[in-house]
Amino acid sequence: MSLVMEQPAADVPPKVKSTRAQESTQAKERYDPKYDPLKDKSPGHGKEYAPTYWVDTAGVPPEDDGPITSDMDVDVAIIGSGYTGLSTAIHLAEMYGIKAIVIEANRMSWGCSTRNGGQAQCASGRLKRSQWIERWGLETALKMHRECVDGMNTFKSLIKDIDCDPQPGGHLYVAHRPKVMATLEKEAKLLRDTFDYDAQILDAETVKRDYVGDQEAAGAMHEPEGIGIHAGKLAFGYLRKARALGVKVHPASPVMGWETRNGVHYLKTPGGVVKARSVGVCTGGYTSQGLHSELKNRLLPVLSNSMVTRPLTQDEIAACNFKTNQVITDTRILRHYYRLLPDNRVQIGTRSAISGKNAPEKKYEDMLRADLTRKFPSLDQIKIDYSWWGWVDVSHDMMPRIYQPNPKQSIFYALGYGGNGVMYSAQAGKRLAQWIAGEGHKLDLPIFESKLPFPNVREVVESEMFAPFRRVGQQFLYQWYSLKDEVL
């Protein structure tokens, strides 16, 4: 997940500050490193990008259409200019001839899409294929797999003319402990025999000799589908593609109020009211609680940290035995995702603080650095050139939804990828475009047939006062996950 991150403005050492801040034409505020979608009413108004590696190395951001400056009357408004929002707009234009407008609170692709790990995998949520079978049965699981494979093809088609530094070759799923190998072997057999998906098991010696010298690796499962990309270049490429199709993209235009009258939506922004017949919500981990009642408490946003090292020397690459640029994750519940980038830097990320308030604490960067050193001891004390964090949109049942929650209202959303949004956001945009164009009835999988669920204790979750307690529960859950990952 695809995953998201953020970095403080005032306390960031110069080495991680982005040059994009000086080039901004739309940003009016420095971003808030403590933003928390469970507590804050809005992600901001025209805030600058987080100083990520992706934004700093993507080149000058493409032209957009500027903030909304007057009232507008449109057929379709998309809220959120990240991968999903732009993919939706692209598919609406290409498949249906509908030219939507895209509304963004801050700079375009300001949230998840410029803070993730750049890993496109053949997945749509947090659950494995075996868990799909347990939840929905074999027939539906097979259809879900076909949806993911189709999604990977959609993604490949979208990026074929975008210079986003693709690193193809598959996905290496590394066992971080020997006891995990039995589970991996069972899953790989299921993928081969039932899903006709050529997943192969590699022993520890093969992984460390032929792929990567991760000192924790007790073996791995290799999946044939997986592509690493430059997250910022992909976002900017989507923007260029959408605008070439006639899509209007308006940054610095947060939705500050939303009324629906006689089936028409009135989206209040600082520069004017957008009157829209249909609205698609594509706000990811930055979905504020007050955006719309259909979205309140439907997601559990979680923080993820990411860092990028200075470029490695050839001797350092040899010491780490990096023989692949494939995307890599480990088998922890609180997983790590990492790879060697085209410019020979190492990027690594994992889960972070519980709340936005605690996100800037240096201990989380120190913890991630220690994780990097544990995997690659030769990188101990290596200079970190970029460090950031941000929010991942996790649904309460670990699977996304692309759905029209109320058949009487033309509101649609695509949310809840749980860290696997780099690839599936392309397909989700395609499916959301189908919904908006009136073809949602053709979509017959569970992720297209129900709302994002509430947590189990629904009547408590719907209370305004529950958000802090959700964070307490999350803290205990993380402690339990860590115990399972490292001890049990």
Side-chain angles (χ1 to χ4, degrees), residues 358-419:
N358 299 122
E361 294 177 11
K362 191 174 183 298
K363 69 176 183 180
Y364 296 106
E365 180 180 326
D366 292 342
M367 289 166 60
L368 185 52
R369 176 187 275 277
D371 294 340
L372 175 66
T373 301
R374 188 169 63 247
K375 290 179 177 298
F376 304 106
S378 61
L379 300 184
D380 184 28
Q381 302 304 314
I382 191 170
K383 183 171 178 278
I384 302 301
D385 279 352
Y386 299 88
S387 178
W388 69 92
W389 61 85
W391 296 95
V392 184
D393 55 327
V394 179
S395 72
H396 293 291
D397 69 350
M398 302 298 175
M399 291 298 291
R401 294 298 191 282
I402 301 88
Y403 192 60
Q404 180 183 12
N406 185 342
K408 295 181 180 179
Q409 293 187 343
S410 52
I411 301 170
F412 311 84
Y413 56 64
L415 297 164
Y417 310 133

Coordinates of all heavy atoms in Angstrom, one line a residue, residues 358-419:
N358 N 1.4 12.4 18.0 CA 2.7 11.8 18.3 C 3.5 11.5 17.1 O 4.7 11.1 17.3 CB 2.4 10.4 19.1 CG 1.7 10.6 20.4 OD1 0.6 10.0 20.6 ND2 2.2 11.4 21.3
A359 N 3.0 11.7 15.9 CA 3.7 11.3 14.7 C 5.1 12.0 14.6 O 6.0 11.3 14.1 CB 2.8 11.6 13.5
P360 N 5.3 13.3 15.0 CA 6.6 13.9 14.8 C 7.7 13.4 15.7 O 8.8 13.8 15.5 CB 6.3 15.4 15.0 CG 4.8 15.5 14.8 CD 4.2 14.2 15.3
E361 N 7.4 12.5 16.7 CA 8.4 12.1 17.6 C 9.5 11.3 16.9 O 9.2 10.4 16.1 CB 7.7 11.3 18.7 CG 6.8 12.0 19.6 CD 6.1 11.2 20.7 OE1 6.6 10.0 20.8 OE2 5.1 11.6 21.3
K362 N 10.7 11.7 17.2 CA 11.8 11.1 16.5 C 12.0 9.6 16.8 O 12.6 8.9 16.0 CB 13.1 11.8 16.9 CG 14.3 11.5 16.0 CD 15.6 12.3 16.3 CE 16.7 12.0 15.4 NZ 17.1 10.5 15.5
K363 N 11.4 9.1 17.8 CA 11.6 7.7 18.1 C 11.1 6.8 17.0 O 11.6 5.7 16.8 CB 10.9 7.4 19.5 CG 9.4 7.4 19.5 CD 8.9 6.9 20.8 CE 7.3 6.9 20.8 NZ 6.8 6.5 22.2
Y364 N 10.1 7.3 16.3 CA 9.5 6.4 15.2 C 10.5 6.3 14.0 O 10.6 5.3 13.4 CB 8.2 6.9 14.8 CG 7.2 6.9 15.9 CD1 6.8 8.0 16.6 CD2 6.7 5.6 16.3 CE1 5.9 7.9 17.6 CE2 5.8 5.5 17.4 CZ 5.4 6.7 18.0 OH 4.5 6.6 19.1
E365 N 11.2 7.4 13.7 CA 12.3 7.3 12.7 C 13.4 6.4 13.2 O 14.0 5.6 12.5 CB 12.8 8.7 12.4 CG 13.9 8.7 11.4 CD 14.4 10.1 11.0 OE1 13.6 11.0 11.0 OE2 15.7 10.2 10.8
D366 N 13.7 6.6 14.5 CA 14.8 5.7 15.1 C 14.4 4.2 15.0 O 15.3 3.4 14.8 CB 15.1 6.1 16.5 CG 15.7 7.5 16.6 OD1 16.3 8.0 15.6 OD2 15.7 8.1 17.7
M367 N 13.2 3.9 15.3 CA 12.7 2.6 15.3 C 12.8 2.0 13.8 O 13.3 0.8 13.6 CB 11.3 2.5 15.8 CG 11.1 2.7 17.3 SD 9.4 3.0 17.8 CE 8.6 1.4 17.3
L368 N 12.5 2.8 12.9 CA 12.6 2.3 11.5 C 14.0 2.2 11.0 O 14.4 1.2 10.3 CB 11.8 3.3 10.5 CG 11.7 2.9 9.1 CD1 11.1 1.5 8.9 CD2 10.9 3.9 8.3
R369 N 14.9 3.1 11.5 CA 16.3 2.9 11.2 C 16.8 1.6 11.8 O 17.6 0.9 11.1 CB 17.1 4.1 11.7 CG 18.6 4.0 11.5 CD 19.3 5.1 12.3 NE 19.4 6.3 11.4 CZ 20.3 6.5 10.5 NH1 21.2 5.5 10.2 NH2 20.3 7.6 9.8
A370 N 16.4 1.3 13.0 CA 16.8 0.1 13.6 C 16.3 -1.1 12.9 O 17.1 -2.2 12.7 CB 16.3 0.0 15.1
D371 N 15.1 -1.1 12.3 CA 14.6 -2.1 11.5 C 15.5 -2.3 10.2 O 15.8 -3.5 9.8 CB 13.2 -1.8 11.1 CG 12.2 -1.8 12.2 OD1 12.5 -2.4 13.3 OD2 11.1 -1.2 12.1
L372 N 15.9 -1.2 9.6 CA 16.7 -1.3 8.4 C 18.0 -1.9 8.8 O 18.5 -2.8 8.0 CB 16.9 0.1 7.9 CG 17.9 0.2 6.7 CD1 17.3 -0.4 5.5 CD2 18.2 1.7 6.4
T373 N 18.6 -1.6 9.9 CA 19.9 -2.1 10.3 C 19.8 -3.6 10.6 O 20.7 -4.4 10.3 CB 20.5 -1.4 11.5 OG1 20.6 0.0 11.2 CG2 21.8 -1.9 12.0
R374 N 18.7 -4.0 11.2 CA 18.5 -5.4 11.6 C 18.5 -6.3 10.3 O 19.0 -7.4 10.2 CB 17.2 -5.6 12.4 CG 17.0 -7.0 12.9 CD 15.9 -7.1 13.9 NE 14.6 -6.8 13.3 CZ 13.9 -5.7 13.5 NH1 14.4 -4.8 14.4 NH2 12.7 -5.5 13.0
K375 N 17.9 -5.7 9.2 CA 17.8 -6.5 8.0 C 19.2 -6.4 7.2 O 19.6 -7.3 6.6 CB 16.7 -5.9 7.1 CG 15.3 -6.2 7.6 CD 14.2 -5.6 6.7 CE 12.8 -6.0 7.2 NZ 12.6 -7.4 7.1
F376 N 19.8 -5.2 7.3 CA 21.0 -4.9 6.5 C 22.1 -4.3 7.5 O 22.2 -3.1 7.5 CB 20.8 -4.0 5.4 CG 19.7 -4.6 4.4 CD1 18.4 -4.0 4.4 CD2 20.0 -5.6 3.6 CE1 17.5 -4.5 3.5 CE2 19.0 -6.1 2.7 CZ 17.8 -5.6 2.7
P377 N 22.8 -5.1 8.3 CA 23.7 -4.5 9.3 C 24.8 -3.6 8.7 O 25.2 -2.7 9.3 CB 24.4 -5.8 9.8 CG 23.4 -6.9 9.6 CD 22.7 -6.6 8.3
S378 N 25.1 -3.8 7.4 CA 26.1 -2.9 6.8 C 25.6 -1.5 6.6 O 26.4 -0.6 6.3 CB 26.6 -3.5 5.4 OG 25.5 -3.6 4.5
L379 N 24.3 -1.3 6.7 CA 23.7 0.1 6.5 C 23.6 0.8 7.9 O 22.9 1.8 7.9 CB 22.4 0.0 5.8 CG 22.5 -0.6 4.4 CD1 21.1 -0.5 3.7 CD2 23.5 0.1 3.5
D380 N 24.1 0.2 8.9 CA 24.1 0.9 10.2 C 24.7 2.3 10.1 O 25.8 2.4 9.6 CB 24.8 0.0 11.3 CG 24.7 0.6 12.7 OD1 23.7 1.3 13.0 OD2 25.6 0.4 13.5
Q381 N 24.0 3.3 10.6 CA 24.5 4.7 10.6 C 24.5 5.3 9.2 O 25.1 6.4 9.0 CB 25.9 4.8 11.2 CG 25.9 4.3 12.6 CD 24.9 5.0 13.5 OE1 24.8 6.2 13.5 NE2 24.2 4.2 14.3
I382 N 23.9 4.7 8.2 CA 23.9 5.3 6.9 C 23.1 6.6 6.9 O 22.1 6.7 7.7 CB 23.3 4.3 5.8 CG1 23.5 4.9 4.4 CG2 21.9 4.0 6.0 CD1 23.2 4.0 3.3
K383 N 23.4 7.6 6.1 CA 22.7 8.8 6.1 C 21.3 8.6 5.5 O 21.1 8.0 4.5 CB 23.5 9.9 5.3 CG 22.9 11.3 5.3 CD 23.8 12.2 4.6 CE 23.2 13.6 4.5 NZ 22.4 13.8 3.4
I384 N 20.3 9.2 6.2 CA 18.9 9.1 5.8 C 18.6 10.5 5.1 O 18.7 11.5 5.8 CB 17.9 8.9 6.9 CG1 18.3 7.5 7.6 CG2 16.5 8.9 6.4 CD1 18.2 6.3 6.7
D385 N 18.3 10.5 3.8 CA 18.1 11.8 3.1 C 16.7 12.2 3.2 O 16.4 13.4 3.1 CB 18.5 11.6 1.7 CG 20.0 11.8 1.5 OD1 20.7 12.2 2.4 OD2 20.5 11.6 0.3
Y386 N 15.7 11.3 3.4 CA 14.3 11.6 3.4 C 13.6 10.8 4.5 O 13.9 9.6 4.6 CB 13.6 11.4 2.1 CG 14.2 12.2 1.0 CD1 15.3 11.8 0.2 CD2 13.6 13.5 0.6 CE1 15.8 12.5 -0.8 CE2 14.2 14.2 -0.4 CZ 15.3 13.7 -1.1 OH 15.8 14.5 -2.2
S387 N 12.8 11.4 5.3 CA 12.0 10.7 6.3 C 10.6 11.4 6.4 O 10.6 12.6 6.5 CB 12.7 10.7 7.6 OG 11.9 10.0 8.6
W388 N 9.5 10.6 6.3 CA 8.2 11.2 6.3 C 7.2 10.2 6.8 O 7.5 9.0 7.1 CB 7.8 11.8 4.9 CG 7.5 10.7 3.9 CD1 6.4 10.2 3.6 CD2 8.5 10.1 3.0 NE1 6.5 9.2 2.5 CE2 7.8 9.2 2.2 CE3 9.9 10.2 2.9 CZ2 8.4 8.4 1.2 CZ3 10.5 9.5 1.9 CH2 9.8 8.6 1.1
W389 N 6.0 10.6 7.0 CA 4.9 9.7 7.4 C 3.5 10.2 7.0 O 3.4 11.3 6.4 CB 4.9 9.5 8.9 CG 4.7 10.8 9.7 CD1 3.5 11.3 10.0 CD2 5.7 11.6 10.2 NE1 3.7 12.5 10.7 CE2 5.1 12.7 10.9 CE3 7.1 11.6 10.2 CZ2 5.8 13.7 11.5 CZ3 7.8 12.6 10.8 CH2 7.1 13.7 11.4
G390 N 2.5 9.5 7.2 CA 1.2 9.9 6.9 C 0.2 8.7 7.0 O 0.5 7.7 7.6
W391 N -1.0 8.9 6.5 CA -2.2 8.1 6.8 C -2.6 7.0 5.8 O -2.6 7.3 4.6 CB -3.4 9.0 7.1 CG -3.1 9.8 8.3 CD1 -2.7 11.1 8.3 CD2 -3.3 9.4 9.7 NE1 -2.6 11.5 9.6 CE2 -2.9 10.5 10.5 CE3 -3.7 8.2 10.3 CZ2 -2.9 10.5 11.9 CZ3 -3.7 8.2 11.7 CH2 -3.3 9.3 12.5
V392 N -2.9 5.9 6.2 CA -3.4 4.8 5.4 C -4.9 4.6 5.7 O -5.3 4.5 6.8 CB -2.6 3.5 5.7 CG1 -3.0 2.3 4.7 CG2 -1.1 3.7 5.6
D393 N -5.7 4.4 4.6 CA -7.1 4.2 4.8 C -7.4 2.7 5.0 O -7.4 2.0 4.0 CB -8.0 4.8 3.7 CG -7.6 4.4 2.3 OD1 -6.4 4.1 2.1 OD2 -8.4 4.3 1.4
V394 N -7.6 2.2 6.2 CA -7.9 0.8 6.4 C -9.4 0.7 6.8 O -9.9 1.4 7.6 CB -7.0 0.3 7.6 CG1 -7.4 -1.1 7.9 CG2 -5.5 0.5 7.4
S395 N -10.0 -0.2 6.1 CA -11.4 -0.5 6.4 C -11.5 -1.4 7.6 O -10.6 -2.1 7.9 CB -12.2 -1.1 5.2 OG -11.7 -2.4 5.0
H396 N -12.7 -1.5 8.2 CA -12.8 -2.2 9.4 C -12.9 -3.7 9.2 O -12.8 -4.5 10.1 CB -14.0 -1.8 10.2 CG -13.8 -0.4 10.8 ND1 -12.9 -0.1 11.8 CD2 -14.4 0.8 10.5 CE1 -13.0 1.2 12.1 NE2 -13.8 1.8 11.3
D397 N -13.1 -4.1 7.9 CA -13.0 -5.6 7.6 C -11.9 -5.9 6.6 O -11.8 -7.0 6.1 CB -14.3 -6.1 7.0 CG -14.6 -5.5 5.6 OD1 -13.9 -4.6 5.2 OD2 -15.6 -6.0 5.0
M398 N -10.9 -4.9 6.5 CA -9.7 -5.1 5.8 C -9.8 -5.2 4.3 O -8.9 -5.6 3.6 CB -8.9 -6.4 6.3 CG -8.6 -6.4 7.7 SD -7.5 -5.0 8.2 CE -7.4 -5.1 9.9
M399 N -11.0 -4.9 3.7 CA -11.2 -4.9 2.3 C -11.8 -3.5 1.8 O -12.6 -2.9 2.6 CB -12.1 -6.0 1.9 CG -11.5 -7.4 2.0 SD -10.0 -7.6 1.0 CE -10.6 -7.7 -0.6
P400 N -11.5 -3.1 0.6 CA -12.0 -1.8 0.2 C -13.5 -1.9 -0.3 O -14.1 -3.0 -0.3 CB -11.1 -1.5 -1.1 CG -10.8 -2.9 -1.6 CD -10.6 -3.7 -0.4
R401 N -14.0 -0.7 -0.5 CA -15.4 -0.7 -1.1 C -15.4 0.4 -2.2 O -14.8 1.5 -2.0 CB -16.4 -0.3 0.0 CG -16.6 -1.3 1.1 CD -17.2 -2.6 0.5 NE -17.6 -3.5 1.6 CZ -16.8 -4.2 2.4 NH1 -15.5 -4.1 2.3 NH2 -17.3 -4.9 3.4
I402 N -16.0 0.0 -3.3 CA -16.3 0.9 -4.4 C -17.8 0.9 -4.6 O -18.3 -0.1 -5.1 CB -15.5 0.6 -5.7 CG1 -14.0 0.6 -5.4 CG2 -15.8 1.6 -6.8 CD1 -13.5 -0.7 -5.0
Y403 N -18.5 1.9 -4.1 CA -19.9 1.7 -3.8 C -20.7 3.0 -3.9 O -20.2 4.1 -3.7 CB -20.1 1.0 -2.5 CG -21.4 0.4 -2.2 CD1 -22.0 -0.6 -3.0 CD2 -22.1 0.9 -1.1 CE1 -23.2 -1.1 -2.7 CE2 -23.4 0.4 -0.8 CZ -23.9 -0.6 -1.6 OH -25.2 -1.1 -1.3
Q404 N -22.0 2.8 -4.1 CA -23.0 3.9 -3.9 C -23.8 3.6 -2.6 O -24.7 2.7 -2.7 CB -24.0 3.9 -5.1 CG -25.0 5.0 -5.0 CD -26.0 5.0 -6.2 OE1 -26.0 4.1 -7.0 NE2 -26.8 6.1 -6.3
P405 N -23.5 4.2 -1.5 CA -24.0 3.8 -0.3 C -25.5 4.0 -0.1 O -26.2 3.3 0.7 CB -23.2 4.6 0.8 CG -22.8 5.8 0.0 CD -22.5 5.3 -1.4
N406 N -26.1 5.0 -0.8 CA -27.5 5.2 -0.8 C -28.1 5.3 -2.2 O -27.7 6.3 -2.9 CB -27.8 6.6 0.0 CG -29.3 6.8 0.2 OD1 -30.1 6.3 -0.5 ND2 -29.6 7.7 1.1
P407 N -28.9 4.4 -2.6 CA -29.4 4.4 -4.0 C -30.2 5.6 -4.3 O -30.4 5.9 -5.5 CB -30.2 3.1 -4.1 CG -30.6 2.8 -2.7 CD -29.4 3.2 -1.8
K408 N -30.6 6.4 -3.3 CA -31.4 7.5 -3.6 C -30.6 8.8 -3.8 O -31.1 9.9 -4.1 CB -32.4 7.8 -2.4 CG -33.5 6.7 -2.3 CD -34.4 7.0 -1.1 CE -35.4 5.9 -1.0 NZ -36.4 6.1 0.1
Q409 N -29.3 8.6 -3.5 CA -28.4 9.8 -3.7 C -27.2 9.4 -4.6 O -26.7 8.3 -4.5 CB -27.8 10.2 -2.3 CG -28.8 10.8 -1.4 CD -28.2 11.4 -0.1 OE1 -27.0 11.1 0.2 NE2 -28.9 12.2 0.6
S410 N -26.8 10.3 -5.5 CA -25.8 10.0 -6.4 C -24.4 10.4 -5.8 O -23.6 11.2 -6.3 CB -26.0 10.8 -7.7 OG -26.2 12.2 -7.4
I411 N -24.1 9.7 -4.7 CA -22.8 9.8 -4.0 C -22.2 8.4 -4.1 O -22.8 7.4 -3.9 CB -23.0 10.2 -2.5 CG1 -23.7 11.5 -2.4 CG2 -21.7 10.2 -1.8 CD1 -24.1 11.8 -1.0
F412 N -20.9 8.4 -4.5 CA -20.2 7.2 -4.7 C -18.8 7.3 -4.0 O -18.3 8.4 -3.9 CB -20.0 6.9 -6.2 CG -21.2 7.0 -7.0 CD1 -21.7 8.3 -7.4 CD2 -22.0 5.9 -7.3 CE1 -22.8 8.4 -8.2 CE2 -23.2 6.0 -8.0 CZ -23.6 7.3 -8.4
Y413 N -18.2 6.2 -3.6 CA -16.9 6.3 -3.0 C -16.0 5.1 -3.3 O -16.5 4.0 -3.6 CB -16.9 6.6 -1.5 CG -17.6 5.6 -0.6 CD1 -17.2 4.2 -0.5 CD2 -18.7 6.0 0.2 CE1 -17.9 3.3 0.3 CE2 -19.3 5.1 1.0 CZ -18.9 3.8 1.1 OH -19.6 2.9 1.9
A414 N -14.7 5.3 -3.3 CA -13.7 4.2 -3.5 C -12.7 4.5 -2.4 O -11.9 5.4 -2.5 CB -13.1 4.3 -4.9
L415 N -12.7 3.6 -1.4 CA -11.9 3.8 -0.2 C -11.5 2.5 0.5 O -12.2 1.5 0.2 CB -12.7 4.7 0.9 CG -13.1 6.1 0.5 CD1 -14.2 6.6 1.4 CD2 -11.9 7.0 0.5
G416 N -10.5 2.5 1.3 CA -10.3 1.4 2.2 C -9.3 0.4 1.7 O -9.4 -0.8 2.0
Y417 N -8.3 0.8 0.9 CA -7.3 -0.2 0.3 C -6.4 -0.8 1.3 O -5.7 -1.8 1.0 CB -6.5 0.5 -0.8 CG -7.3 1.3 -1.8 CD1 -6.9 2.6 -2.1 CD2 -8.4 0.8 -2.4 CE1 -7.6 3.3 -3.0 CE2 -9.1 1.5 -3.3 CZ -8.7 2.8 -3.6 OH -9.4 3.5 -4.5
G418 N -6.2 -0.2 2.5 CA -5.4 -0.8 3.5 C -3.9 -0.9 3.2 O -3.2 -1.8 3.7
G419 N -3.4 -0.1 2.3 CA -2.0 -0.1 2.0 C -1.7 -0.8 0.6 O -0.5 -0.9 0.2

